[in-house]
Amino acid sequence: MHTLRITQPDDWHLHLRDGDALDTTVPHTARHFGRAIVMPNLKPPIANVEMALDYRQRILEVVPEGMPFSPLMTLYLTDKLSVSEIAKAQENEFIHAIKYYPAGATTNSENGVTDINAVMPVLEEMARLGLPLLIHGEVTDADIDIFDREEKFIDTILSPLLDRIPELKIVLEHITTSQAVQFVSEQNTNIAATITPHHLLYNRNDLLAGGVRPHFYCLPILKRDIHQKALGDAAISGNSRFFLGTDSAPHARHTKETDCGCAGIYSAAGAIELYTEFFDQQNALDKLEGFASHFGADFYGLPRNTAELVLEKKAWSMPQEFRFGDYTVVPMRAGEEVEWSVTEVTP
Ligand code: NCD
Ligand code: ZN
Ligand code: ZN
C-alpha cells in the first residue's frame, strides 16, 4: 500500500511550550492534527482554569489560517488544587483533564504531587464528575533504578489508586514497558494509555550504544527492545485503550547538548508520518486509523474528526533544526529521511 487515507488524527499528549516557541510548535501540530491535549507543565504551571483559558488564547493566536486546530486544555495537579476548581474545570468546555506529575519526576514537575493521599479529595471529585486524570507514571525515589521507575509506579501508586477509586478515568501517559501494557490491558475500561512515536521506533541502544545521544533522551527513558516490542504489539493490536500521544517535548538545542541535558524529544515536525512508518514496518497500516484517529476521541467522549488526511509512501528529509524562539530545536530524525509524507488534508 503506497497511499493511505485516514480520519484526521488527534494528539492526546503534547507540549507546546509558550511565548515565541508557539510560533514553531503550534503550526507543526496544527497542519496535521485536528486537536491536541496540551500539557500544563509551564513555568509557572497552568494551575487553574483562568490560566488555562489565557494559555489557550495564546495558542489560538498563532494557529495558521485554514488549519482548524483545537487545543484541549489541562490543569496541573498541585498539592493546592482545590475541589471547587475541579468543578469549574469540569464545567468549562475547553478543559478536558487534570495532569498528575509526581513531584520531581520530569521536566517542570517541581510543583507536582508530593503525596497522593494529600490529593485524594480532588481525585474523588474528578471520579464523581468524570474528569480524566492524566498520569506521568514514574516513582521518584533516588534508590529506584531509572529503568524500573514506571513498573514501580504501577505497583505502588497506580494499582492501589484504582482499587481505591475504580470509577476514576485515567490515561497512563507515554507508556514504555511491557508491565504497563499488561496492566492497562487487564484493567476495566476506565484506564487507557498513550504511546509515543519514539518509544515505538527506538530503544535504549539508540540512546546509548556507540555514544550518548542527547536528542534521544526523554522521560520515561527509552527501555530495552523487549519493551519496545510490547508497546508495538499494543499499538497495532486494535485494542481501543492504546492510542496516539506524541509527547512531543521541545527543548532548545543547547539545553540538551550539555553536561546535564533536558529530557524530551521534539517529534511534532513529523509525528503522523513517523507513526505511519512504524505501522508500515509492522504490516499493520490497517490498524493506524483506530490508534491515531478514533480511540482517543472515543475515550475522551469527544466526536471523531470529520476531516481526512492522505499519506503517501514518499520519503522526505527532516531539517537539522527549527527556530525555537531565540534558539533552535533539533527534531526527531534530524537530517535523516522520513519514509511517509502527508500529501493532503481534506476538510
Ligand atoms: C516532557 C517535557 O519536556 O515537558 N519531557 C519528556 O521527556 N517527556 C515532560 C514529560 O512529559 O514527562
Ligand atoms: Zn511525562
Ligand atoms: Zn509529556
Side-chain angles (χ1 to χ4, degrees), residues 13 15 39 99 101 174 247 249:
H13 182 133
H15 301 269
M39 290 295 139
K99 180 66 192 259
Y101 294 102
H174 48 41
D247 191 22

Side-chain angles (χ1 to χ4, degrees), residues 13 15 17 41 101 106-107 136 174 218-219 247 249 251 263-264:
H13 182 133
H15 301 269
R17 312 305 190 203
N41 61 330
Y101 294 102
T106 187
T107 305
H136 180 110
H174 48 41
C218 64
L219 290 170
D247 191 22
H251 290 272

Side-chain angles (χ1 to χ4, degrees), residues 37-253:
I37 284 277
V38 179
M39 290 295 139
N41 61 330
L42 302 185
K43 270 182 167 168
I46 301 297
N48 58 50
V49 171
E50 195 187 333
M51 290 176 87
L53 298 181
D54 288 348
Y55 183 30
R56 180 174 176 273
Q57 282 310 324
R58 297 197 292 281
I59 295 166
L60 289 176
E61 272 162 29
V62 294
V63 173
E65 282 278 323
M67 294 181 190
F69 172 71
S70 303
L72 311 176
M73 308 311 292
T74 62
L75 301 190
Y76 190 119
L77 179 54
T78 67
D79 286 343
K80 295 190 200 80
L81 187 65
S82 66
V83 169
S84 63
E85 198 67 19
I86 294 296
K88 248 175 102 178
Q90 166 63 17
E91 279 161 22
N92 192 288
E93 61 180 309
F94 302 121
I95 298 181
H96 294 269
I98 309 291
K99 180 66 192 259
Y100 177 123
Y101 294 102
T106 187
T107 305
N108 296 346
S109 63
E110 305 76 41
N111 298 291
V113 175
T114 50
D115 173 8
I116 186 149
N117 294 308
V119 296
M120 221 32 97
V122 162
L123 301 182
E124 279 160 0
E125 180 71 353
M126 288 172 59
R128 201 175 68 77
L129 298 173
L131 191 60
L133 181 70
L134 316 183
I135 298 182
H136 180 110
E138 288 192 290
V139 296
T140 54
D141 315 47
D143 60 339
I144 303 296
D145 191 275
I146 188 167
F147 291 98
D148 299 334
R149 290 181 177 191
E150 182 174 280
E151 182 182 8
K152 187 84 178 175
F153 182 90
I154 293 169
D155 292 344
T156 61
I157 309 281
L158 185 57
S159 182
L161 174 62
L162 289 185
D163 290 343
R164 189 153 164 186
I165 322 182
E167 326 78 67
L168 184 61
K169 219 170 160 174
I170 291 174
V171 183
L172 187 56
E173 299 290 339
H174 48 41
I175 57 168
T176 62
T177 58
S178 61
Q179 288 87 357
V181 169
Q182 194 186 345
F183 183 81
V184 171
S185 305
E186 287 170 351
Q187 300 305 311
N188 69 31
T189 51
N190 287 342
I191 178 161
T194 52
I195 306 180
T196 75
H198 41 281
H199 289 100
L200 291 173
L201 287 163
Y202 300 108
N203 62 57
R204 67 195 199 182
N205 277 5
D206 298 291
L207 169 69
L208 294 169
V212 61
R213 293 185 184 76
H215 297 289
F216 279 109
Y217 175 58
C218 64
L219 290 170
I221 198 160
L222 292 171
K223 305 296 191 297
R224 62 192 314 147
D225 60 353
I226 53 167
H227 296 289
Q228 180 190 7
K229 175 83 171 59
L231 298 171
D233 289 346
I236 66 169
S237 67
N239 182 336
S240 61
R241 284 187 294 123
F242 297 98
F243 49 80
L244 185 158
T246 62
D247 191 22
S248 177
H251 290 272
R253 180 193 276 272

